[in-house]
Amino acid sequence: PARAERRQAPPPEGTDPKEPVDFYWTRVHGRLGSSREIHLVCLAYMSDMGMLNCAYRPFRGIQVNYPAMMVSLDHSMWFHSTNFRADDWLLFQIRCVHAGGARILSFCRVWTQKGDLV
């Protein structure tokens, strides 16, 4: 099974520290084959990691208000490009746009190291 590596990335200069957005560099550990499908599947898996954390930022973080359970109810993806490798570092921006009623709505954007939107 593939294992994902994730490292927090600094937010762009001027970002409000209370803004519900996180930035991470993420990749699959090790080397994947050349099949396009395996890279798409791994990106789908990685994109569902950490979607909840940024929703807690305005409330002093997930460490202070740890949820009893986290689960994805719906996860949809739109690929703008398939010209990427899931075993290369990819920059993830996860932004919570709504939190309420024990649910959140977050969007995740992914870029290659060259700056191409995936």
Side-chain angles (χ1 to χ4, degrees):
R3 183 173 60 93
E5 292 182 69
R6 187 170 164 179
R7 297 184 184 159
Q8 186 128 19
E13 191 173 316
T15 301
D16 182 347
K18 293 181 182 173
E19 189 175 350
V21 61
D22 283 328
F23 294 88
Y24 294 98
W25 286 103
T26 307
R27 71 175 177 182
V28 170
H29 182 74
R31 205 68 184 153
L32 296 172
S34 59
S35 164
R36 187 75 352 233
E37 289 77 19
I38 192 66
H39 293 274
L40 293 169
V41 167
C42 287
L43 179 60
Y45 171 77
M46 293 186 301
S47 72
D48 201 30
M49 297 168 47
M51 294 292 277
L52 183 63
N53 294 353
C54 60
Y56 279 79
R57 177 142 310 113
F59 309 106
R60 297 190 337 241
I62 200 164
Q63 291 79 18
V64 174
N65 302 288
Y66 198 78
M69 181 176 23
M70 294 184 272
V71 64
S72 291
L73 297 177
D74 190 1
H75 183 187
S76 300
M77 296 187 71
W78 291 267
F79 292 97
H80 302 282
S81 169
T82 58
N83 189 22
F84 71 92
R85 291 189 59 92
D87 50 7
D88 287 339
W89 287 109
L90 299 167
L91 180 62
F92 285 65
Q93 176 202 51
I94 302 171
R95 178 179 299 278
C96 176
V97 296
H98 178 76
R103 289 176 176 78
I104 67 162
L105 176 62
S106 292
F107 291 100
C108 177
R109 292 183 185 176
V110 181
W111 292 273
T112 64
Q113 292 180 55
K114 294 179 184 176
D116 297 328
L117 180 64
V118 174

